[in-house]
Amino acid sequence: MLPGPTTLVPPLQALRRVVALLLSLVLSFSLSACGGGQPSQKVLLSALSLQIDLTQRSIADALQLTSADGKPQVSRVRVESQQAMAIGGSKGLHLTGRFDWRLPGDPIRVDSAFDLYLQRGERGQSWRLARPTGSSNGTTQDWLIDPLPLKGESA
C-alpha cells in the first residue's frame, strides 16, 4: 500500500526553514571558531597554580628559605579582559581578572587579581605560561616560557 498524498509546503514556509537552518549553521560554526582559540578553565587553573608556585619558589630562593610543600589550590577564575598578542614569535593571549586561591594547609581563601600571559602551542593544541622578563635589546619583550604541568604532574 502506498502512503497517502503529501501536502506541499508553501514557498514562504520553505524559505523560512532554509534561512533558519543556514543561520543556525553559521552561528554554530562561529561559536566553535571562537571557542577553539580560548584556553579552557582547566588551562587557566593550571597556569595560575604554576605562576603562584614559581613566584613562591623565587621568593624562597631569594630569602634563602625552604619552599612550601604542596601546590596552591586555585579556584573560581573570572576573566575580565583578554587580548591577543604575539609572545616570542608565537600566538598568545594576555588575560586579566580575579581568582580565589589558598596555600596547602591554610584555611584562608584569598581573592586576588591576576595578570596572565599564555603562549599557544605550535600545533594549537596546548598552552604555555609566559612570563615577561624585560628587554635585552630595548625594543622587544623577552619571555620565560614554562610548559603547563600534565595531569598528575606537579610544577
Side-chain angles (χ1 to χ4, degrees), residues 15-25:
L15 181 62
R16 284 183 184 164
R17 287 182 183 172
V18 169
V19 169
L21 178 64
L22 288 174
L23 284 176
S24 65
L25 286 173

Side-chain angles (χ1 to χ4, degrees), residues 133-152:
T133 61
S135 177
S136 57
N137 62 10
T139 59
T140 59
Q141 177 68 56
D142 294 333
W143 299 91
L144 285 176
I145 308 295
D146 296 294
L148 297 180
L150 298 173
K151 188 175 182 177

Side-chain angles (χ1 to χ4, degrees), residues 24-78:
S24 65
L25 286 173
V26 167
L27 184 60
S28 68
F29 282 124
S30 64
L31 288 177
S32 64
C34 289
Q38 310 305 314
S40 67
Q41 184 80 356
K42 182 178 171 184
V43 167
L44 292 175
L45 292 170
S46 180
L48 288 166
S49 180
L50 178 59
Q51 187 166 345
I52 293 168
D53 189 52
L54 292 170
T55 302
Q56 275 185 305
R57 288 183 195 185
S58 177
I59 292 170
D61 289 347
L63 298 175
Q64 298 177 348
L65 302 172
T66 58
S67 58
D69 292 333
K71 291 178 59 175
Q73 296 174 348
V74 179
S75 62
R76 222 179 113 207
V77 178
R78 284 105 46 214

Side-chain angles (χ1 to χ4, degrees), residues 106-127:
D106 190 347
I108 299 172
R109 186 168 299 275
V110 180
D111 176 51
S112 298
F114 71 84
D115 192 19
L116 190 64
Y117 295 90
L118 294 174
Q119 182 188 55
R120 193 77 163 142
E122 293 173 14
R123 295 185 196 150
Q125 297 175 348
S126 63
W127 294 92

